[in-house]
Amino acid sequence: MIFSTYARLGITLLLSATLCANAVGETTTLSTAATKATAWNEAAGWSSGVPSGKTDVVIGEGVKVSVNTRSTPTFSGTLTLRRDAILHLPKTGTPKVVTAPISITLHDGAKIQLNMNANIKFAPITLAGDASIECLFGASDKQTDNLGPITGPHTLRVAGFNRHKYIFDHANTFNKLIMDAEAVGYCEVFARSPGALGLGDVILKAKKE
């Protein structure tokens, strides 16, 4: 009877430890910079495999990665772009890499580039440096992106064209916002909450003629 009690206790502790480990998840990092975009689903590039489940994801310094297929696994951990990292979302890919994470952290020079025919509601963003969200010429015109909350005392640059819409749904704490209208047409900005445009200057840049 004593043996059975201890055996059951041991099994319970083992299961509890396993569940805790699964709940915390692990981190997988893409850290090899390349002259062209690395495909997100190439397992060899990741330290712990292609992100999925509760994994925390880190795109290393200077790395450019393209989410170029809709079959990309969903992950629900955090997403971090280190200095000068670029996350490219083409029209063949999926926006869930920026909608499913619990949060996104952008370091200095980091960029998220959008070129897909989809409306995107971003996960909460933390600015750990000056960073950009860019709508590229192509499939992203006339789409709508919902941004916020966005925290961090840095500059956010948001670029768009051809009636691309950016909606700021929450009060945000970035200290400068640069709205950059690129290529043809113009982009539209909507502030849907007090403080939505941050705590400092708002700079509007017209498209180049």
Side-chain angles (χ1 to χ4, degrees):
M1 187 68 175
I2 294 176
F3 173 79
S4 298
T5 300
Y6 281 120
R8 285 196 297 271
L9 179 60
I11 292 171
T12 300
L13 290 174
L14 179 60
L15 288 173
S16 297
T18 302
L19 290 172
C20 287
N22 290 337
V24 172
E26 61 180 345
T27 299
T28 187
T29 302
L30 189 63
S31 57
T32 302
T35 55
K36 62 179 182 179
T38 299
W40 182 281
N41 283 3
E42 291 181 1
W46 296 97
S47 61
S48 298
V50 176
S52 64
K54 297 183 183 299
T55 303
D56 292 329
V57 177
V58 177
I59 311 301
E61 184 172 330
V63 174
K64 181 176 181 179
V65 58
S66 180
V67 186
N68 56 3
T69 174
R70 292 182 177 87
S71 62
T72 298
T74 300
F75 72 96
S76 57
T78 60
L79 171 64
T80 299
L81 274 66
R82 297 294 188 193
R83 178 184 293 270
D84 297 326
I86 298 175
L87 175 62
H88 178 226
L89 278 63
K91 61 183 179 180
T92 57
T94 172
K96 61 187 176 184
V97 296
V98 294
T99 61
I102 58 174
S103 65
I104 300 170
T105 299
L106 302 176
H107 287 259
D108 200 48
K111 294 180 181 180
I112 298 176
Q113 296 180 331
L114 311 173
N115 190 14
M116 56 173 46
N117 186 19
N119 298 325
I120 301 174
K121 184 175 178 59
F122 279 78
I125 295 173
T126 297
L127 297 177
D130 298 345
S132 299
I133 299 174
E134 301 177 340
C135 165
L136 302 181
F137 183 83
S140 290
D141 56 328
K142 300 180 183 178
Q143 302 304 311
T144 299
D145 295 326
N146 291 74
L147 299 170
I150 304 172
T151 59
H154 299 282
T155 298
L156 175 66
R157 173 182 169 270
V158 181
F161 73 99
N162 201 16
R163 301 188 69 178
H164 193 97
K165 296 179 176 65
Y166 290 103
I167 298 176
F168 291 85
D169 291 318
H170 304 267
N172 299 302
T173 62
F174 45 76
N175 62 12
K176 182 185 290 186
L177 175 64
I178 299 175
M179 300 298 306
D180 200 347
E182 297 182 333
V184 297
Y186 57 91
C187 62
E188 300 176 346
V189 181
F190 298 85
R192 296 282 174 80
S193 177
L197 299 183
L199 302 178
D201 295 338
V202 176
I203 299 174
L204 305 179
K205 291 187 175 181
K207 72 181 183 69
K208 297 178 181 179
E209 298 293 343

